[in-house]
Amino acid sequence: GVRDVLFLYEENRCSMTYMYEYPEYLKIKLPKKTARRYPAYELYLYGEGNYAEENKNLLLTGIPVLFLPGNAGSYKQVRSLGSIALRKAEDVDFKYHFNFFSVNFNEELVALYGGSLQRQTKFVHECIKVILKLYRDGEFAPTSVAIVGHSMGGLVARALLTLKNFKPELINLLITQATPHIAPVMPLDRYLTDFYTAVNNHWILKAQDLRNLTTLSVAGGFRDYQVRSGLAFLPRLSQHDSALSVVSSAVPRAWASTDHLSIVWCKELILATIRAFFDLIDENTRQITEDPKKRMSVLNHHFVRHPAKIFEENPETSTELTGAFLWITVEVSKWTYSVYNDSDGKYFTFPLASHRKSYSHVYCENSMLDTSSWIYGCMNTNSSMCLEAADLSWRAELLPTTKVVMLKLQDYPSLSHIVIQVPPAVGNKYNLGCEFFKEDSRTVQLPVTHLFSFGLSSSKILLNSTGLLYNVQLQHFNQIYQAFKIYIESHCQSLRERKPSVYRLHIPWSHEDSIIVAKVPSLTEISARLHIAQPPNDSSLPELNIYSSPDCQYEVKIKSYPFILVFQIVRFHAGAFPVYIVSNILLTYGGQLSTLRSTGQCSDFSLELVRTAKPYKVEPLISIVVFLQGFNWFREIWESLSLPEVDAAVLSSQDAWFPLVSLILFLFGTGIAYWSGVFFSTSLRLFSSLWLTLIRPTALQKDKLLTPRRLCGVISLALVSWTTCGAFAVFIIYLQYLFKPVHIFVTSVFLFQDSGLSKETSQNSSIHTVKPQSSMDSVPEATQSLSNSTTIAEAVNSLKMHVTILNLVTWIVLLNLPSFIYWLKNLRYNVRLDPDPCRSTAIIIVCILEILMNSSTSEVKPSKLLKIAAKVPLPLSVAMLAFGRMHLYRVPHFVTFSLLLHVLCCIV
């Protein structure tokens, strides 16, 4: 599954964008107060060559666009947009042009640490005010700024509207690229989840107030394994008339999935964005239009359905067909025509009266991919010529190798003829085709295979193509965990050259289509997977549209494989892996405490994992709670107890959950926990071997749990946590703890060898000595040997327990690592991390680990609290899975509580 997510996606079909002149970034001077408040952030203006030189005095006359980079993103990522916009402005002799600004967020890890998101949002607000001041003396001074946000930059842009002093009219257009709008990819601290909640709640509650803001969200598709496209769709309740969400694979003239970084430089996608920007310009104000309807029309034109025509706000609906063209009447229901070096223009007319009774639809295609009109509907006739016609070219749709029109005859009762225009074509070669058909004859239904058929069964259908179009409706394909391989094999009667076939997987409830161009004959494989599950009130079916070659047969086969299901689970739920791994380790830890209490011996980690880490211990209770939350009475009781909502219920509401996924994730967690235990044991042996070769170990000494020296160490680390970064203090105590198992292991080996040597010496002396000895002389040796054996057994027990605790603490460190990295990166600006998600937790962890580091199982065994400490990990594991899947920052709290009970066992 991991291999499939990372490597088996489609090839990169994006072209690279290049700068024709050297890119320059002009730093904009900010007000002193702003610069002092945000020392790590900067604002830049992008330019190239002469354009950059002209703008150094900041006398700007263009249209301002602000680019916001995302997680660890650079302000220099604006260059693709800025460069192509500059070339486009040169094409129109700078009648209109855009000024691209970019914010430097110091490449902060805001996807992993949410403490700086509010700070970034406020800085962007200041930048917008600074940008608009640069234009205030101009003739066409803008009153708003367009924003392009990549990744988390898009979320920061949406968060602007939550600021108290922010005026919504300051932004009229927002385009986000691969932005996780729904939820964070890795919810590692509460600042991140709280920020998301605040932004999404505001957009849902204030949806009516956002109608003047046009929002476009572009997702990367399956190549983007960092942010899955389902997260990049704007929340459903906030999708009003001025919001649009698309996947890059469905964007006309791009038709390519992008990874998380290439979405900012993918030439095909950037071209679509810049074309949209120029079509959004109002000729009167020379700024982006204030009309929300026009903005949405432009975005739909470039990002949803492109008619292969240059955008017009109010296209002429009727026209006169003039010119000395030859008029030819076509009576047949299916017609194809090849154009090559035709010197005379032609009009082909198709009378509709003779076809209305027999057919329901007409379909036409044209492989000449220019932007001129080519298909018309004739409204009145004079003999064989058309006097007045409706331009039907606006009904067309652009595909990679052709432009197509499909009309339902019933919707056009006033049309008498369809007219195809073929202008003179000198040196051009292209094909046209039209056919009339009944919808039922070209629509077939194919049920998808069962999810757990494991590739043993398949659904297939044979299409004897006599036409140009087939629609294969995929039945029962509506959930995100469904994933299939579709195989389309084409067979043709003759080997003559044919136009390539186009296969489109069309998902009617979201803009996530994928398009593949295939040679004929060929065998083509298509991955059928969903980004968004079917909404409850939607009954439409996904379709496989086959734009076929005439006289060819197409066999469509659907199969499901187990690894594709695993792919979907990894893709949608990989962020929950730490919860399931820690849950397994915690169950094992509880089992070891239980064994220690009953037998006096601590069992091995891997053996205890197999014995205690059972999904039936934790999963049923969570499933029962989720089921009961469907009832109002239970939900009221739950809310009265102030308990947070179960994460599985939230995921179910987002259509990202199904019953078996938790079981599969738990098994994954068991496997990863097992191999992490093997890794720890192997690493321990390697380090111990190195230690033995370098240093002679000292004897194990039983000391007090907390000496004055250790107390000073705890206080020092507590001060470090409070004054700098909590994760830093946890990391230091973790490094100290690492040496504890190594020391115990080395000392145990040394004692074992020493014990064995004493026995051997004793045996040798009894053989060679003749002189009788007193029996009392052997008592100290026996006592020492027994003492060594007891010490070794106790050391082995303590070692096993320390390895498990270390395993748990490792995950605490890993989950707090992002804030530590963020603190290190910003150390030159501020010594203290503020806000710090784990400051208070770190102080508790430091105290706990300092005591546990010097404890042994002999101190735990007689404790009255051991029974409680052994039973608590099970309910904690259940709680962790219930409340930690979408809130990873809660995981360390559960672990800390369990370790706190262990500490109390050492004392009480």
Side-chain angles (χ1 to χ4, degrees):
V2 173
R3 180 181 66 95
D4 200 12
V5 169
L6 297 179
F7 304 112
L8 294 187
Y9 42 63
E10 64 184 80
E11 61 179 350
N12 188 358
R13 298 206 293 263
C14 284
S15 305
M16 176 62 77
T17 49
Y18 293 97
M19 284 74 250
Y20 290 90
E21 296 175 277
Y22 192 77
E24 294 185 36
Y25 305 89
L26 177 64
K27 187 175 178 180
I28 305 296
K29 189 176 180 181
L30 299 171
K32 289 183 180 178
K33 186 178 178 181
T34 304
R36 192 164 51 249
R37 189 180 297 172
Y38 309 102
Y41 301 158
E42 296 166 324
L43 177 65
Y44 288 88
L45 172 66
Y46 178 82
E48 292 178 19
N50 293 331
Y51 170 77
E53 286 295 322
E54 291 169 4
N55 285 333
K56 282 189 175 177
N57 56 9
L58 293 178
L59 298 175
L60 306 177
T61 57
I63 302 167
V65 180
L66 178 61
F67 175 78
L68 305 180
N71 178 56
S74 169
Y75 66 95
K76 294 182 179 180
Q77 289 173 313
V78 73
R79 60 183 176 267
S80 296
L81 285 164
S83 183
I84 289 182
L86 183 59
R87 302 281 85 79
K88 180 82 171 172
E90 288 176 351
D91 290 344
V92 296
D93 295 325
F94 282 93
K95 181 182 178 182
Y96 313 113
H97 71 280
F98 289 85
N99 302 125
F100 275 85
F101 297 85
S102 184
V103 173
N104 177 16
F105 284 135
N106 195 31
E107 300 185 11
E108 292 177 337
L109 298 172
V110 285
L112 303 176
Y113 168 73
S116 62
L117 283 168
Q118 196 67 28
R119 191 182 303 122
Q120 287 190 2
T121 307
K122 290 177 180 177
F123 179 73
V124 172
H125 184 198
E126 297 299 323
C127 287
I128 291 173
K129 290 190 282 189
V130 169
I131 289 168
L132 291 176
K133 279 183 182 178
L134 297 175
Y135 295 86
R136 62 185 171 188
D137 298 327
E139 183 182 355
F140 299 98
T143 57
S144 60
V145 175
I147 295 181
V148 179
H150 172 238
S151 187
M152 294 297 288
L155 188 73
V156 168
R158 287 180 61 214
L160 284 168
L161 297 160
T162 65
L163 297 178
K164 289 182 180 178
N165 301 324
F166 185 79
K167 298 175 182 177
E169 57 269 19
L170 290 179
I171 51 173
N172 55 12
L173 177 67
L174 169 60
I175 298 177
T176 66
Q177 302 170 323
T179 297
H181 290 294
I182 299 290
V185 178
M186 293 291 285
L188 292 171
D189 63 59
R190 62 182 176 87
Y191 304 116
L192 195 57
T193 54
D194 289 350
F195 189 82
Y196 264 91
T197 303
V199 172
N200 285 331
N201 285 347
H202 183 87
W203 275 62
I204 291 168
L205 296 173
K206 304 286 185 180
Q208 297 298 323
D209 301 337
L210 302 176
R211 290 188 177 275
N212 290 325
L213 170 63
T214 304
T215 310
L216 169 69
S217 175
V218 183
F222 288 109
R223 277 187 61 83
D224 189 349
Y225 59 84
Q226 294 183 45
V227 176
R228 60 178 177 86
S229 297
L231 291 178
F233 278 64
L234 290 162
R236 285 176 189 166
L237 292 175
S238 67
Q239 285 198 44
H240 43 75
D241 297 338
S242 298
L244 180 65
S245 300
V246 298
V247 179
S248 62
S249 60
V251 174
R253 303 173 80 173
W255 297 300
S257 177
T258 63
D259 61 55
H260 196 62
L261 292 179
S262 69
I263 199 168
V264 300
W265 56 254
C266 180
K267 185 178 177 181
E268 290 77 7
L269 203 56
I270 299 299
L271 281 169
T273 307
I274 297 302
R275 290 187 192 112
F277 269 128
F278 275 85
D279 283 342
L280 285 165
I281 297 173
D282 186 326
E283 291 186 2
N284 297 321
T285 63
R286 296 199 177 184
Q287 296 293 325
I288 288 177
T289 178
E290 295 295 326
D291 183 4
K293 290 184 178 179
K294 181 184 176 180
R295 291 199 295 259
M296 282 305 295
S297 297
V298 170
L299 294 180
N300 276 294
H301 179 93
H302 288 284
F303 288 91
V304 179
R305 186 187 178 96
H306 198 297
K309 287 183 67 66
I310 295 171
F311 176 80
E312 294 179 29
E313 187 175 358
N314 297 303
E316 292 185 12
T317 54
S318 61
T319 183
E320 291 184 7
L321 300 181
T322 57
F325 283 18
L326 181 64
W327 287 82
I328 302 171
T329 303
V330 180
E331 299 285 353
V332 295
S333 61
K334 178 185 173 186
W335 167 83
T336 57
Y337 184 74
S338 295
V339 182
Y340 183 60
N341 276 341
D342 282 15
S343 57
D344 299 323
K346 300 180 180 67
Y347 285 122
F348 291 93
T349 65
F350 299 82
L352 297 182
S354 58
H355 295 301
R356 286 187 183 276
K357 291 181 181 179
S358 305
Y359 305 107
S360 62
H361 289 73
V362 59
Y363 167 82
C364 295
E365 60 184 20
N366 183 353
S367 63
M368 170 60 84
L369 302 181
D370 61 356
T371 57
S372 58
S373 295
W374 61 283
I375 183 169
Y376 304 90
C378 199
M379 287 179 277
N380 59 48
T381 57
N382 180 13
S383 65
S384 60
M385 295 179 64
C386 189
L387 300 177
E388 186 182 2
D391 189 353
L392 298 177
S393 305
W394 291 100
R395 304 286 182 185
E397 183 174 12
L398 181 64
L399 295 174
T401 60
T402 185
K403 47 189 178 183
V404 301
V405 174
M406 188 166 71
L407 304 172
K408 190 176 182 180
L409 297 178
Q410 189 180 345
D411 295 340
Y412 300 89
S414 61
L415 297 186
S416 60
H417 289 68
I418 295 289
V419 180
I420 302 291
Q421 180 183 8
V422 182
V426 180
N428 288 330
K429 183 179 180 181
Y430 61 97
N431 300 303
L432 298 107
C434 278
E435 68 169 332
F436 293 84
F437 62 87
K438 276 189 174 181
E439 187 178 18
D440 296 344
S441 65
R442 296 301 167 83
T443 303
V444 294
Q445 292 190 336
L446 183 64
V448 297
T449 53
H450 192 271
L451 184 65
F452 297 107
S453 61
F454 300 110
L456 299 175
S457 65
S458 62
S459 297
K460 64 180 178 180
I461 195 167
L462 184 65
L463 306 174
N464 291 313
S465 176
T466 56
L468 304 173
L469 172 69
Y470 265 99
N471 294 322
V472 180
Q473 294 182 337
L474 305 177
Q475 293 179 304
H476 318 301
F477 181 35
N478 51 22
Q479 297 297 329
I480 55 111
Y481 55 80
Q482 292 177 292
F484 310 95
K485 294 282 186 184
I486 300 178
Y487 299 96
I488 306 173
E489 189 170 7
S490 54
H491 303 279
C492 300
Q493 295 174 358
S494 61
L495 297 177
R496 64 183 176 86
E497 185 181 353
R498 286 180 168 80
K499 70 180 183 72
S501 295
V502 178
Y503 308 133
R504 174 169 68 176
L505 183 63
H506 173 59
I507 310 300
W509 56 80
S510 66
H511 303 297
E512 55 175 280
D513 295 6
S514 55
I515 295 178
I516 291 179
V517 179
K519 293 180 180 179
V520 178
S522 66
L523 175 63
T524 306
E525 180 187 293
I526 300 174
S527 291
R529 298 181 290 240
L530 296 175
H531 297 293
I532 296 287
Q534 187 175 28
N537 56 351
D538 195 313
S539 59
S540 55
L541 295 174
E543 287 186 341
L544 176 64
N545 305 135
I546 300 177
Y547 300 92
S548 57
S549 293
D551 307 319
C552 292
Q553 283 188 335
Y554 292 83
E555 184 183 64
V556 181
K557 184 165 67 173
I558 298 179
K559 293 185 77 173
S560 64
Y561 298 97
F563 73 88
I564 307 179
L565 171 64
V566 176
F567 166 90
Q568 288 295 81
I569 290 173
V570 172
R571 182 171 186 79
F572 279 83
H573 301 288
F577 277 175
V579 183
Y580 285 89
I581 297 165
V582 176
S583 176
N584 274 275
I585 299 171
L586 201 58
L587 286 172
T588 308
Y589 170 68
Q592 285 181 316
L593 289 176
S594 180
T595 310
L596 184 67
R597 177 175 169 269
S598 58
T599 65
Q601 301 295 321
C602 184
S603 56
D604 187 65
F605 178 84
S606 56
L607 295 174
E608 198 60 45
L609 178 72
V610 173
R611 190 180 72 85
T612 57
K614 304 295 183 185
Y616 59 77
K617 292 182 177 181
V618 292
E619 291 300 329
L621 187 59
I622 298 172
S623 300
I624 291 168
V625 171
V626 172
F627 172 74
L628 289 174
Q629 282 199 329
F631 299 98
N632 290 330
W633 62 268
F634 185 81
R635 205 180 304 118
E636 289 172 4
I637 295 171
W638 191 268
E639 289 172 359
S640 66
L641 296 172
S642 301
L643 291 171
E645 195 170 2
V646 177
D647 288 349
V650 179
L651 290 168
S652 296
S653 66
Q654 296 175 1
D655 302 316
W657 198 253
F658 66 102
L660 284 177
V661 70
S662 190
L663 173 63
I664 296 168
L665 288 171
F666 191 92
L667 297 177
F668 284 171
T670 307
I672 297 169
Y674 176 84
W675 288 108
S676 69
V678 171
F679 171 77
F680 265 102
S681 300
T682 308
S683 302
L684 180 64
R685 292 175 187 277
L686 288 173
F687 281 119
S688 302
S689 301
L690 183 64
W691 188 290
L692 271 170
T693 56
L694 297 175
I695 303 168
R696 180 180 173 84
T698 56
L700 280 172
Q701 294 179 350
K702 193 170 181 180
D703 202 354
K704 291 182 180 179
L705 291 175
L706 205 60
T707 61
R709 183 181 174 184
R710 289 169 190 160
L711 188 60
C712 289
V714 169
I715 294 169
S716 300
L717 287 176
L719 286 173
V720 167
S721 173
W722 193 258
T723 56
T724 58
C725 171
F728 180 44
V730 173
F731 188 67
I732 292 172
I733 195 75
Y734 173 72
L735 291 178
Q736 290 180 11
Y737 205 134
L738 277 174
F739 288 100
K740 183 66 177 180
V742 175
H743 176 62
I744 295 173
F745 187 87
V746 168
T747 309
S748 302
V749 171
F750 181 75
L751 283 172
F752 183 77
Q753 291 174 347
D754 191 44
S755 176
L757 188 65
S758 300
K759 289 179 182 178
E760 188 180 341
T761 306
S762 175
Q763 288 172 0
N764 288 342
S765 63
S766 64
I767 292 170
H768 293 97
T769 305
V770 180
K771 186 178 177 181
Q773 294 181 346
S774 170
S775 60
M776 290 299 293
D777 293 343
S778 62
V779 172
E781 289 184 14
T783 306
Q784 184 183 358
S785 178
L786 184 62
S787 175
N788 280 352
S789 299
T790 307
T791 306
I792 292 169
E794 196 58 51
V796 169
N797 285 334
S798 299
L799 178 65
K800 291 175 181 177
M801 189 58 70
H802 281 302
V803 167
T804 304
I805 292 171
L806 197 60
N807 212 335
L808 286 169
V809 177
T810 300
W811 281 101
I812 293 179
V813 172
L814 289 175
L815 292 172
N816 288 317
L817 201 57
S819 61
F820 177 48
I821 296 170
Y822 179 91
W823 172 75
L824 278 178
K825 200 169 183 179
N826 289 271
L827 198 55
R828 57 181 172 152
Y829 302 109
N830 204 336
V831 176
R832 191 172 194 256
L833 180 64
D834 190 37
D836 190 343
C838 63
R839 179 171 290 129
S840 53
T841 312
I843 295 172
I844 298 170
I845 291 171
V846 164
C847 297
I848 289 171
L849 293 186
E850 186 64 52
I851 294 172
L852 290 181
M853 197 188 307
N854 302 291
S855 67
S856 66
T857 52
S858 60
E859 293 157 339
V860 176
K861 277 189 272 189
S863 174
K864 296 177 182 179
L865 294 174
L866 183 57
K867 184 178 179 180
I868 298 171
K871 289 184 176 181
V872 161
L874 176 58
L876 285 179
S877 295
V878 175
M880 193 185 297
L881 294 184
F883 306 115
R885 289 187 184 111
M886 297 179 66
H887 305 83
L888 292 178
Y889 60 88
R890 291 173 179 168
V891 172
H893 302 324
F894 293 114
V895 175
T896 304
F897 183 76
S898 189
L899 295 179
L900 181 62
L901 287 176
H902 192 137
V903 169
L904 292 175
C905 288
C906 296
I907 299 169
V908 181

